[in-house]
Amino acid sequence: MKQPITKKLSAPAEKVWEAISRIGRLEVWFPIIATCAVEGDGIGARRRMTTQDGGEITDIIEEIDPAKRRLTYLRATSPFPVTFYRGTVEVFDSFDLQAVVAWTIDFESAPQDAAAVAELVKGAIGSGLDGMERDLQAEAASLERG
């Protein structure tokens, strides 16, 4: 099942891509994430996270394409009822040069869990994008203050 989440952010696309391509800071952006540690760089890097309720998540970075501003990761460990989970994050320029983020989750789960997983993913990614936007705006404001 595919669950797309798209949001326009009040931040330049290049800044949003820079933040996403660094792989980390998910504990700042996502309310559900308590800790996030990145091991390695680029393709093959692992992102190990814990959720606020103690669940463990491990992502393996499969693709980082600066030209297309696309990052793909495979969720190798998940506390959610899924048998497969791959996320693709893409950043586009809107007409006013602000970022449009398209985050698509491709997952497999038992039929009875699919709707609940889709709603969980939609809510979590939406909250994470809101958190990323706040983080980038705070960063820009602190740079302006010098």
Side-chain angles (χ1 to χ4, degrees), residues 48-69:
R48 296 188 191 279
M49 296 164 279
T50 54
T51 61
Q52 294 292 350
D53 62 3
E56 294 186 9
I57 298 172
T58 303
D59 291 342
I60 301 169
I61 305 304
E62 294 187 322
E63 175 190 30
I64 300 176
D65 186 335
K68 293 181 179 176
R69 291 189 192 140

Side-chain angles (χ1 to χ4, degrees), residues 16-24 26 29 42-43 45 47 59-66 68-74 86-91 102-105:
V16 171
W17 170 246
E18 283 175 22
I20 289 169
S21 67
R22 286 193 297 258
I23 306 170
L26 275 70
W29 303 339
I43 295 170
R47 185 166 52 194
D59 291 342
I60 301 169
I61 305 304
E62 294 187 322
E63 175 190 30
I64 300 176
D65 186 335
K68 293 181 179 176
R69 291 189 192 140
R70 181 173 58 213
L71 178 134
T72 304
Y73 60 94
L74 178 67
R86 175 174 283 126
T88 302
V89 188
E90 297 173 283
V91 181
W103 199 314
T104 304
I105 303 301

